Amino acid sequence: AQKITQTQPGMFVQEKEAVTLDCTYDTSDPSYGLFWYKQPSSGEMIFLIYQGSYDQQNATEGRYSLNFQKARKSANLVISASQLGDSAMYFCAMREGYSGGYQKVTFGTGTKLQVIP
Amino acid sequence: DAEITQSPRHKITETGRQVTLACHQTWNHNNMFWYRQDLGHGLRLIHYSYGVQDTNKGEVSDGYSVSRSNTEDLPLTLESAASSQTSVYFCASSERGRTDTQYFGPGTRLTVL
């Protein structure tokens, strides 16, 4: 089974509108972390936001928020007031486990977001 | 400012040659990682290190090796390059903490002919 599933290979959003990028995960580890990264066409990977499995509140960073629904094992990224510069690939990732210091991070296959003027 | 750099940024090599990709970070992070990125696969972990002299295999480690002789560097070596190793390679580092956020280098595009 896929550890991280991003079901939307591509999405369009109108400039200034909000958009939700879906991510579901699969783990039996009670302690884990969820991340979102942005990869613009230039290729670098940019960290956006983090959510810990024990965090009570949804993480927010500026226009980015993470809609964390633990029971449904989903960690959707919400971008408010989309800007043209938000056009990029977005990757969801999960960090599992600290057994013996082991830190396994698994990435999804990404969602390509295009913002339309 | 602290950063993580990779060199070269682009490399073309021939099948069977040994290739080494450099990764250098000035964050003073203990943890370093190598990933490859291929269309349809996202990022897949090749090797990782939690400190000097520590190295571990990731999910796609065959044909790759790493060594960690200091905190700052984790070079990735392809012992005998194969066309299947044509990819974009990312190095990342993190400091163990609450978030363990990994910070990525700019990537190296490797083509094996």
Side-chain angles (χ1 to χ4, degrees), chain A residues 35 37 39 42-45 47 50 52 55 91 95 98 101-109, chain B residues 31 33 35 37 40-43 48 50 90 94 96-106:
Chain A
F35 305 82
Y37 287 86
Q39 186 177 42
S42 52
E44 71 268 33
M45 294 285 287
F47 165 72
Y50 167 84
D55 291 344
F91 291 95
R95 184 261 302 148
Y98 275 114
Y102 177 61
Q103 178 201 78
K104 179 180 173 66
V105 178
T106 307
F107 285 79
T109 53
Chain B
N31 306 333
F33 308 83
Y35 294 89
Q37 183 178 26
H41 288 280
L43 278 78
Y48 59 100
Y50 288 142
F90 285 97
S94 73
R96 181 168 175 166
R98 194 185 77 82
T99 69
D100 298 317
T101 301
Q102 294 186 12
Y103 295 94
F104 284 79

Side-chain angles (χ1 to χ4, degrees), chain A residues 109, chain B residues 36-44 84-89:
Chain A
T109 53
Chain B
R36 60 178 289 174
Q37 183 178 26
D38 305 289
L39 201 61
H41 288 280
L43 278 78
R44 292 181 291 175
S84 59
Q85 294 176 308
T86 293
S87 186
V88 179
Y89 291 85

Side-chain angles (χ1 to χ4, degrees), chain B residues 6-17:
Chain B
Q6 293 182 235
S7 62
R9 296 294 311 278
H10 302 271
K11 174 79 176 177
I12 300 174
T13 191
E14 295 177 341
T15 301
R17 290 191 179 268

